[in-house]
Each structure stands twice: as structure tokens, then as C-alpha cells.
Amino acid sequence: MSDFEHDPVMVDEISDIFDSVPAGTVVDATLGGGGHSYALLSRRADIDILGIDQDADAIEAALERLTEFADRVRVSRRRFDQIDEALAEHGVTEISGALFDLGVSSPQLDRAERGFSYRQDGPIDMRMDDDQQWSGSDVVNGYARNDLARVIKTHGDERFAGRIADAIVAARPVESTVDLAEIVTGAIPAAARRTGGHPAKRTFQAIRIEVNAELEVLPDALDSAVAATVPGGRIAVLSYHSGEDRIAKQRFAIAAGACDCPHDLPCVCGAIQTVRIVRGVAKRASAAEQERNRRSSSALLRVVEKTEPIPKAES
């Protein structure tokens, strides 16, 4: 058995969400270790999974975990904004839904050589696809001071981004994750280090997001999933970062027919509603799950259901 073991977040809630979708193909756009897919396949004999992941280790582990459902599982090693290409690769023209479990998985964090962890010593890598040339070291050691500060501020919501960028630039070259974590920690005032978890958490998150272009590719990925989904199908997003959630909220609002026209006048902007926001689903993991799986504590769930196209003026 592969050592890529991952406890899927909100797996019962996700299973409930997809209980009502039409029979057909569900895209697991972030396949990981296959935990969510296993739950969906176990619950629905009339669906199959197209799993997408850019991490070769994750795909290997998922295929092993899903062996009993081998005739209902297809995979594509791609980034999740390449949904259209994955569908074409497997001859799929429409889907019954899609799941996005964003961020980094526990096995990636736990492997020092992957460079995601500020607690373990390893190279500053942070690539989800190890065939990619660009790595965390290129950001840490190559970005100009102002660009580095912008990344840390924008992707990490870090209020001491300028101080951290100054410290990193002064210490270059920075070779290891432990060295980077120490530099970041030393740049943050002592009083601010006493709360909020590890002082380097936000900076490592920011660099990882930059390396993998996670926020850049998410809008197109969500739009592609909505376009490919049949009426009655659902798209669910588990996000762990305010930027991810903001994008999911915005793209879903647009698909739900959001427009700037006055509410008391007919819509003239041409907005079309293609989804409805699914209400009444848990937005966060239960207290028990948060206690058991610390990754779930920051998770936020958003869900939409595909509809027949409805002009905003008629909705």
C-alpha cells in the first residue's frame, strides 16, 4: 500500500451533496489519495469517476485505493484547469458534477523532500507537479524584494510581508525549508509570534500558491466545470484560503446570474443564470472532525447545482 494516506475533509457531507446528481461521470478535479472518490463510488453504483491530479504519487495511491472500482475509474495527470482536455482525453462530453478539494494534502506536507513543510528540513520545492521546472526556491531566491513582499501579502494575508521579504533577501541564498522558516520567524515581532500558529505558516502558504499558480487557474477551472455539468449536477468546492473561497464565491455568483442592474428594473446586461446556490449544506466541518483532522478546521464548502439556462430578466 502506498504511503500517500490522506483523510478526506467533510467526506460525509460531500457524499450527501452528490447523492442527488444524475447518473454519469463525476470529475474529482483534485484526486489526491482518492478518499472522496472512494466514498462516492461506494455510495453510487451508477456513477464513474474521472480523477484529475498533477501529482504522480497521488495518482498512484488513488488507483491503488480504488482498485475495487477499477472499471469505474479513469485518471488524467493534469492541472485542474485542464478539465476540458481531460474530458476530451477520455471521450467524455458532459458530466454529472465536479469536486474541487483545494490546497495541499497531508502526505505532501509530511514528506520533507517535497518542501511544503516549515516543520521538516528539505529543499524549498513546493511543486505539486514535480515535472514542473519552477519551484519555491525560484520565488524565494529569485524574486525582487517588492515582488516577494507582494506574494507574501496577497497570497498569505501576512501583515509583516515587507519585513519578511527584507529578511529573506538579506539572507540569500536560502537553501532549506528550516532555514526559511527561521528567517521568517525572526522577521516577525515577538508579540505577534505568540498567537496564530507557526509564524512561517502564511509565508509558506503564499510561496506554494505562487509556485503552483493556484489562484490564477481556479476561475477557468470552475467555469469549465460549470459548463460541462448537466442540469441537476453539482459542483462543490472545499477551500482553505480566503483567496480560494473568494474566487469560488465570485465565479458561482456569476453563474447564478449576478448582474449590476437595479433590482427593481429589468436586467439589460444579458446575465444568464446557469446554476443555483445550494442552501442548507454544512459550510464547515463538524467540531468532531476538526478535532480529529486539523486540516478540516480551515475548510469552507460551497456548492452549486446546474440549471437550465435562465435569462436574469425571467428569474
Side-chain angles (χ1 to χ4, degrees):
M1 172 65 76
S2 168
D3 61 354
F4 198 106
E5 294 294 335
H6 177 54
D7 188 7
V9 171
M10 298 182 74
V11 65
D12 292 334
E13 292 87 347
I14 294 296
S15 297
D16 289 343
I17 285 164
F18 285 95
D19 265 349
S20 64
V21 303
T25 299
V26 172
V27 170
D28 189 340
T30 46
L31 183 61
H36 285 116
S37 286
Y38 186 93
L40 296 178
L41 291 165
S42 298
R43 198 129 139 181
R44 292 283 303 271
D46 58 349
I47 68 168
D48 58 84
I49 293 290
L50 172 53
I52 301 174
D53 209 294
Q54 57 186 326
D55 189 322
D57 291 338
I59 289 176
E60 180 183 358
L63 289 175
E64 188 172 354
R65 184 170 192 174
L66 301 173
T67 298
E68 64 185 278
F69 304 111
D71 60 335
R72 291 196 282 142
V73 176
R74 290 166 286 182
V75 299
S76 183
R77 187 182 176 193
R78 299 178 183 273
R79 205 167 62 178
F80 59 57
D81 61 320
Q82 297 178 313
I83 287 180
D84 292 340
E85 291 86 345
L87 296 178
E89 176 186 351
H90 291 282
V92 178
T93 57
E94 58 185 22
I95 61 176
S96 298
L99 169 65
F100 294 80
D101 182 8
L102 304 174
V104 65
S105 67
S106 300
Q108 289 167 327
L109 284 172
D110 291 342
R111 293 178 177 177
E113 70 272 15
R114 298 299 299 271
F116 289 104
S117 177
Y118 43 79
R119 299 184 186 277
Q120 302 187 66
D121 197 15
I124 305 172
D125 192 329
M126 304 191 191
R127 294 172 299 165
M128 291 186 177
D129 178 357
D130 58 13
D131 287 340
Q132 174 183 307
Q133 296 300 309
W134 187 253
S135 75
S137 181
D138 293 302
V139 175
V140 169
N141 292 302
Y143 273 28
R145 183 269 180 197
N146 288 346
D147 290 334
L148 186 57
R150 172 189 53 79
V151 166
I152 297 169
K153 175 65 176 177
T154 303
H155 297 338
D157 297 322
E158 174 57 72
R159 59 181 171 137
F160 300 109
R163 295 176 58 142
I164 293 168
D166 287 337
I168 291 173
V169 170
R172 286 173 173 170
V174 185
E175 303 291 349
S176 76
T177 52
V178 166
D179 288 343
L180 178 59
E182 290 177 352
I183 292 165
V184 172
T185 299
I188 296 174
R193 297 200 299 261
R194 299 190 187 108
T195 59
H198 196 288
K201 178 180 179 179
R202 293 176 183 273
T203 297
F204 270 65
Q205 171 184 266
I207 295 168
R208 186 206 81 218
I209 289 173
E210 179 73 5
V211 168
N212 297 289
E214 295 171 41
L215 300 186
E216 179 182 335
V217 303
L218 183 55
D220 286 346
L222 295 177
D223 291 349
S224 293
V226 169
T229 300
V230 299
R234 290 180 166 183
I235 301 95
V237 177
L238 277 166
S239 60
Y240 304 84
H241 174 266
S242 61
E244 295 169 344
D245 181 61
R246 189 180 307 116
I247 290 170
K249 182 179 180 180
Q250 290 171 344
R251 301 318 296 177
F252 285 166
I254 292 170
C259 72
D260 296 325
C261 300
H263 295 299
D264 56 344
L265 295 175
C267 173
V268 295
C269 70
I272 301 291
Q273 178 181 350
T274 58
V275 303
R276 69 175 184 87
I277 308 297
V278 177
R279 310 293 181 184
V281 299
K283 292 186 181 299
R284 294 195 178 276
S286 66
E289 180 174 357
Q290 291 186 42
E291 180 68 23
R292 182 185 75 251
N293 180 5
R294 67 181 185 182
R295 182 171 182 260
S296 70
S297 62
S298 59
L300 185 62
L301 175 63
R302 292 189 184 275
V303 185
V304 294
E305 182 173 299
K306 187 72 176 285
T307 66
E308 296 289 353
I310 306 170
K312 185 66 175 178
E314 299 177 9
S315 62

